[in-house]
Amino acid sequence: MIKKFLSLQWKEFTRSSSFQKGIAIKILLIIAALYFIGMAILLGSGMFFLIREIYSDKYNIEVDPLVIVNNFLIFWFLLDLMIRYFMQQMPVMNIKPLMTLPIKQKTIIHFLLGKTTISFFNILPLFIFIPFSIVLLVHEYSALHVIAWFISVMAITQVLNFLNILVNKSNTVFYIIVGLLITLVGLEYLYINEYFDAFKISALFGMLFNGLYNHPYLVVIPIGLAIFLYRLNFDYLNKRFYLDSAISKQIKEVETSDLSWMNRFGTLATFLKIDVRMIWRNKRPKQVLIMSCFFLFYGLFFFTQKSYDNMPAMKAFASIFITAGFLFSFGQLVPSWDSEHYKMLMSQNIPYRKYLESKWYLMVLAVFISFILSTPYIYFGWDTYAMIAAGASFNIGINSFVTLFGGALNRVPVKLNEKAKAFSNTQGFNPTQLLIALPKMLLPVLLFYIPYFLTDYNLNAGIITLAVSGAVGLIFRNFFLTQIEKVYQKGKYKTIEAFSEN
């Protein structure tokens, strides 16, 4: 029966109407997967030697690389669980027709859960820890202990897999995981830099994972926990596996809000209200909004590292991202967000220009709010904050128009009511967006670096050029919107046809 399920899944995949359309995306995803697998193998093969070399050169001490890996495994698992929350989905299978056939309910559920165990998130750790375990064996670590430790790590990976299935609809759990990860990383950072006598979190959790290596019989604990969670998931699905619950309509109470204050924007208010309500009521745009807030912390990866002090172009790159979270994540899916009612919108007696302006104002407002929220970066110096301000100017005056133009080439719909994770869902994505993303990221770096280099490494020259480019874009705002409108109008009916096919 499992063989029959696999055959049905393959036929569904190859015979779907979107198979040919999405082949380019699938190729890109395969290339990305192969890249991450290759990097994982390199990491797993070189981790032992890299750890030993770092501690020998920097701290002048000899360490056991396995102990160091065990100390930081907790951070790996928490990060893994956080990424799974957004990226991993329950395998989609058309089970409604199967409910009326003489197929055992338990068989279908076992197949669904079995598919999750071989997801990319569970396979990738194999390419890290198998090479690492082989290196341990080559260096004469106990074979029994290494194998037991490896099985434990893989079992914990499956624990995270089944745990994610149970909690993936709970935002509260996600916030707890993020808060815990930030707290642990913060305490570890404070301990390393000796700001005060904080707990060495890595060593505390390292004792647990070292115990799994030192006492091989403890492997039964993670294995038992994985089996327990598998059974818990099985019972959860088994109790809800009924035809009436599958075909019945879900009634939801919709929260209303008074948006009459937007009427001051005239005809733009119609589209602005639609966007605000869409973000408020639907999971995917709401998660995109939440994730865009994380872009505000992007600068911490660059501004806190002394190695980037002599690389101002990279800081300029980071400055663009700090205020461009919503613009990049939400803006790139214009007009796909409106795909379900796009035909209705286009039939209204409202100029297309107003539709585009409403999207532009929404992105500009998000950039402005992000810039206000980035004020704490003054801590790193006024030059840094000036660079962020210049990046915000570029995002408003240039990147907003480039993003709108890219939307004219995007005819892949987004189904807001589909139960899918915001960032695993490839709806609305196409390879053209990758090409459109290049000028949004590379152009500001060039605009900063060229005058910076020509003026004998004058930081102010690069900042001023970046800021002025955004101001020039605002001056020619009407010209840009007019040209973008022409592109949208030219492909209007092709877009309607593409959205109607799905």
Side-chain angles (χ1 to χ4, degrees):
M1 187 55 67
I2 299 297
K3 183 179 179 181
K4 185 65 176 178
F5 285 152
L6 292 174
S7 175
L8 291 173
Q9 290 278 275
W10 177 252
K11 290 177 181 177
E12 181 184 9
F13 172 72
T14 56
R15 295 177 181 177
S16 65
S17 59
S18 61
F19 177 73
Q20 295 295 333
K21 297 179 182 178
I23 194 70
I25 296 175
K26 293 177 178 62
I27 292 174
L28 287 175
L29 292 177
I30 291 173
I31 293 174
L34 292 176
Y35 169 78
F36 284 114
I37 288 174
M39 295 301 294
I41 293 175
L42 288 175
L43 177 62
S45 303
M47 190 160 46
F48 183 93
F49 309 100
L50 186 63
I51 292 173
R52 195 163 59 179
E53 181 178 348
I54 290 175
Y55 276 83
S56 177
D57 294 343
K58 186 174 182 179
Y59 301 107
N60 197 27
I61 57 174
E62 295 293 332
V63 296
D64 183 350
L66 178 59
V67 172
I68 302 301
V69 169
N70 284 332
N71 286 351
F72 289 94
L73 269 181
I74 182 62
F75 299 105
W76 165 268
F77 288 134
L78 285 175
L79 184 62
D80 181 16
L81 188 57
M82 186 177 72
I83 294 175
R84 284 174 187 269
Y85 176 86
F86 287 104
M87 302 293 290
Q88 186 180 12
Q89 300 180 66
M90 186 69 180
V92 177
M93 183 179 180
N94 191 10
I95 61 174
K96 291 181 183 178
L98 300 177
M99 290 179 172
T100 60
L101 298 178
I103 302 176
K104 289 184 178 181
Q105 179 173 311
K106 295 182 178 180
T107 304
I108 298 175
I109 297 175
H110 280 307
F111 179 74
L112 288 174
L113 292 176
K115 284 187 67 176
T116 68
T117 63
I118 56 173
S119 72
F120 179 74
F121 298 96
N122 297 327
I123 293 176
L124 186 63
L126 290 173
F127 292 98
I128 297 177
F129 293 106
I130 287 180
F132 182 70
S133 298
I134 293 174
V135 173
L136 292 178
L137 294 175
V138 170
H139 284 77
E140 299 182 350
Y141 282 72
S142 170
L144 175 63
H145 290 70
V146 170
I147 293 173
W149 175 83
F150 172 77
I151 294 174
S152 298
V153 172
M154 291 301 102
I156 294 173
T157 301
Q158 292 298 335
V159 167
L160 299 180
N161 172 58
F162 297 127
L163 184 62
N164 178 63
I165 297 174
L166 291 175
V167 305
N168 67 351
K169 294 182 180 180
S170 174
N171 289 333
T172 303
V173 174
F174 168 71
Y175 295 138
I176 292 174
I177 294 171
V178 172
L180 183 60
L181 180 60
I182 293 175
T183 301
L184 295 182
V185 172
L187 288 173
E188 186 71 16
Y189 178 81
L190 292 173
Y191 179 87
I192 293 175
N193 290 276
E194 300 179 349
Y195 286 110
F196 64 87
D197 191 17
F199 291 105
K200 190 177 182 181
I201 298 299
S202 58
L204 181 63
F205 284 94
M207 293 172 58
L208 300 177
F209 296 111
N210 286 325
L212 293 174
Y213 173 81
N214 295 325
H215 307 286
Y217 58 85
L218 293 178
V219 69
V220 299
I221 296 177
I223 292 177
L225 187 57
I227 294 173
F228 170 76
L229 286 173
Y230 180 93
R231 188 65 195 181
L232 206 62
N233 276 277
F234 180 88
D235 292 338
Y236 177 84
L237 294 174
N238 192 40
K239 291 177 181 178
R240 290 161 178 78
F241 198 88
Y242 295 103
L243 187 61
D244 53 352
S245 63
I247 64 176
S248 61
K249 293 184 178 180
Q250 187 177 12
I251 300 175
K252 296 179 67 176
E253 183 178 347
V254 178
E255 297 181 16
T256 59
S257 56
D258 183 15
L259 299 177
S260 58
W261 59 273
M262 286 187 174
N263 293 334
R264 70 187 68 180
F265 296 105
T267 53
L268 290 177
T270 302
F271 297 112
L272 290 173
K273 289 178 181 178
I274 290 174
D275 287 332
V276 171
R277 289 185 178 123
M278 177 191 66
I279 295 172
W280 183 258
R281 294 174 179 177
N282 295 278
K283 186 173 184 180
R284 186 178 181 190
K286 187 181 293 185
Q287 286 188 339
V288 167
L289 177 63
I290 294 173
M291 283 303 297
S292 66
C293 296
F294 286 96
F295 279 71
L296 289 169
F297 302 98
Y298 195 82
L300 296 178
F301 292 102
F302 293 87
F303 301 144
T304 58
Q305 302 295 324
K306 294 182 179 180
S307 56
Y308 290 107
D309 289 344
N310 297 322
M311 302 171 64
M314 293 303 298
K315 288 189 174 182
F317 179 80
S319 300
I320 294 296
F321 274 79
I322 289 172
T323 57
F326 186 83
L327 186 148
F328 283 176
S329 57
F330 183 89
Q332 70 174 350
L333 294 180
V334 173
S336 293
W337 292 116
D338 302 310
S339 59
E340 294 185 354
H341 52 267
Y342 191 76
K343 186 183 296 185
M344 183 273 292
L345 285 176
M346 295 300 103
S347 66
Q348 302 300 305
N349 187 25
I350 301 176
Y352 210 132
R353 173 66 170 268
K354 297 299 181 181
Y355 173 79
L356 295 176
E357 283 186 355
S358 68
K359 305 297 183 183
W360 184 79
Y361 276 114
L362 198 64
M363 290 187 286
V364 168
L365 178 62
V367 172
F368 180 75
I369 293 175
S370 298
F371 173 64
I372 298 300
L373 295 176
S374 68
T375 303
Y377 279 105
I378 293 176
Y379 171 81
F380 297 102
W382 286 102
D383 288 342
T384 298
Y385 192 62
M387 195 177 294
I388 294 174
S393 174
F394 181 86
N395 284 328
I396 291 174
I398 302 295
N399 270 347
S400 59
F401 298 114
V402 176
T403 302
L404 272 183
F405 174 77
L409 308 177
N410 182 20
R411 299 190 178 101
V412 183
V414 171
K415 296 180 181 179
L416 299 175
N417 295 324
E418 203 167 81
K419 295 181 179 179
K421 292 297 182 185
F423 295 94
S424 60
N425 197 333
T426 56
Q427 295 171 353
F429 172 83
N430 63 71
T432 306
Q433 291 180 6
L434 297 179
L435 299 177
I436 296 297
L438 291 178
K440 291 192 290 187
M441 293 185 291
L442 298 181
L443 181 58
V445 176
L446 292 176
L447 287 175
F448 172 86
Y449 187 77
I450 292 176
Y452 167 77
F453 177 77
L454 295 177
T455 56
D456 196 20
Y457 305 107
N458 188 330
L459 189 66
N460 292 329
I463 293 174
I464 292 173
T465 303
L466 197 58
V468 169
S469 65
V472 172
L474 278 177
I475 293 173
F476 290 94
R477 166 181 169 274
N478 289 329
F479 171 78
F480 288 144
L481 285 174
T482 299
Q483 299 306 313
I484 293 172
E485 181 188 6
K486 291 179 181 179
V487 178
Y488 272 86
Q489 289 282 13
K490 186 177 180 180
K492 175 179 177 180
Y493 296 102
K494 290 183 179 179
T495 303
I496 293 175
E497 182 183 1
F499 287 164
S500 299
E501 288 179 357
N502 293 272

